[in-house]
Amino acid sequence: GVGAAALMLNPWGARLLVVPWHIAGALAPGNITNPEWLRPAIRDFPVFYVVLGAALAAGSVAAARRAPLSHARLAILAGIGLLALSGVRHGGFFFALLPLALPLGSLAPRALSRSGGLAAAAACLAAAGWMAAVPPPGASVGIGVETGRFPERAADFVEAHLPEARLYNDVAFGGYLIWRGHPGRKVFIDGRNEVHAPLLHELARSIDDGLAWRALLDRHRIDGAVAAYRRAPVQVRRPGSAEPALATFSELHFPRSRWALVHWDETAMVFVRRDGKFAPLAATSEYLWVRPEAWLAGLPWADPGAPPGAVAAELERKLRLDPQCGLANELARVYGGGRTPGREQRDLRGPAGGSH
């Protein structure tokens, strides 16, 4: 009772308890996603499902034997199991509270329970050691910021050229940008969905509607954007006809008529408004003919209307500013090798994170 009363001592009062439902409602349309709120798939989290099944079986046996506190433990197990099934982010709570819900003492002799506790501790230590020594695919062991995971060079560009800009950013980049820019810079959104539930609703209503999206950016007085790459092309209709075509996410949400691409690397792109206070930057730093996101989406990445030498000049400028950019080097090799700038890509590793 005391704990429940203390929970209400927050600026939002009892409304805090319904935040998960607000977030679930915002993500329900499926046009925006946040990986940590997705349900755990059996193929990705087989251990969780095995442990949950075994724990439920053990709890049911203990309840059938009328063991002390068995029904309370089973209720705890059911609650944390349902919570973990609702989203990947709750898996940690499940395993943290699992020892409270397991009826080990009622299913085994005390001596066996003691030895089982030692075995469990050893298993936890072994699992922790294995996870540290053998990182998952795409990750690495080290100290500091993982290369390619966060928009480091995009943040460098923002600090150098857009220190006072109001920027849109993808949710996966929000935490890093806060870390880099606090306290002087605020971000559009970050991974604290509980804080941003109303904004998530607004994004869900706007992201598939060009006019609504433009109104959202205008309403928040957005000067620019730090945008993640999306590999999946989007099907659109060609202007003036019903003929289907494919485009990239950034081409639809930051169209060239209003936005200029002024920086790109393997992880992120930076756009600025053409008609705002950063119009001089757009005029001097724009990449007009190279479409890096289109390359990753398997679409033609060099504008077919580019003047002779314009694509090569932009690639040379990019490599002069950032000689280590793997994506720019890849595009330069393709273009310099005389291949048509289209679908002949190899699988370059794209960024991680959410997809708002």
Side-chain angles (χ1 to χ4, degrees):
V2 175
L7 183 62
M8 297 299 101
L9 298 178
N10 69 82
W12 292 273
R15 287 181 297 165
L16 182 71
L17 301 177
V18 299
V19 167
W21 282 270
H22 286 303
I23 296 173
L27 300 178
N31 56 357
I32 60 174
T33 60
N34 191 314
E36 66 182 47
W37 280 89
L38 296 177
R39 293 180 178 178
I42 294 178
R43 66 179 181 277
D44 297 326
F45 301 93
V47 174
F48 162 69
Y49 283 94
V50 170
V51 171
L52 177 60
L56 287 172
S60 300
V61 171
R65 293 179 178 179
R66 300 183 181 276
L69 300 178
S70 58
H71 290 89
R73 291 178 182 273
L74 189 59
I76 293 174
L77 180 61
I80 61 176
L82 288 173
L83 185 64
L85 287 170
S86 69
V88 173
R89 62 172 291 149
H90 300 129
F93 290 108
F94 171 80
F95 285 102
L97 295 176
L98 186 60
L100 299 177
L102 285 176
L104 296 178
S106 61
L107 293 177
R110 186 176 298 274
L112 183 59
S113 296
R114 286 197 294 268
S115 61
L118 292 175
C124 289
L125 290 174
W130 179 80
M131 287 187 290
V134 185
S140 59
V141 176
I143 299 174
V145 178
E146 184 179 354
T147 302
R149 183 173 180 82
F150 300 106
E152 296 179 75
R153 281 174 285 178
D156 293 339
F157 183 89
V158 167
E159 290 178 356
H161 301 283
L162 302 166
E164 300 177 357
R166 293 176 62 90
L167 300 176
Y168 164 90
N169 63 271
D170 286 270
V171 64
F173 292 163
Y176 176 81
L177 294 174
I178 291 174
W179 179 67
R180 282 287 299 265
H182 180 79
R185 175 175 295 284
K186 296 181 179 180
V187 303
F188 182 78
I189 193 171
D190 59 67
R192 296 171 296 170
N193 293 288
E194 296 82 356
V195 177
H196 301 296
L199 182 55
L200 289 175
H201 278 281
E202 191 176 7
L203 285 167
R205 290 193 301 267
S206 306
I207 202 165
D208 293 330
D209 185 325
L211 293 177
W213 178 260
R214 178 171 176 172
L216 180 148
L217 297 180
D218 290 344
R219 185 163 57 255
H220 289 278
R221 305 195 309 278
I222 298 299
D223 300 314
V226 181
Y229 292 109
R230 288 166 171 78
R231 291 177 175 272
V234 183
Q235 190 168 54
V236 297
R237 298 289 181 181
R238 296 187 186 279
S241 72
E243 184 181 356
L246 294 176
T248 65
F249 180 90
S250 64
E251 288 171 329
L252 293 178
H253 293 79
F254 302 100
R256 186 180 297 178
S257 59
R258 301 191 71 208
W259 301 86
L261 175 64
V262 293
H263 168 86
W264 55 277
D265 52 58
E266 293 98 331
T267 308
M269 302 168 284
V270 178
F271 296 88
V272 295
R273 283 186 182 270
R274 292 186 178 280
D275 57 354
K277 57 185 176 182
F278 298 104
L281 178 65
T284 58
S285 300
E286 181 179 14
Y287 292 91
L288 186 62
W289 310 111
V290 175
R291 305 163 59 213
E293 187 177 40
W295 165 262
L296 295 175
L299 301 175
W301 59 270
D303 193 314
V311 173
E314 287 192 352
L315 291 174
E316 290 172 3
R317 172 163 65 95
K318 174 61 186 173
L319 289 172
R320 187 168 60 251
L321 296 172
D322 187 5
Q324 303 304 316
C325 179
L327 181 55
N329 277 284
E330 182 75 14
L331 296 181
R333 284 194 295 271
V334 170
Y335 199 72
R339 287 190 283 165
T340 303
R343 296 179 177 275
E344 64 295 274
Q345 64 171 333
R346 66 181 178 88
D347 185 22
L348 297 179
R349 180 171 174 261
S355 59
H356 295 337

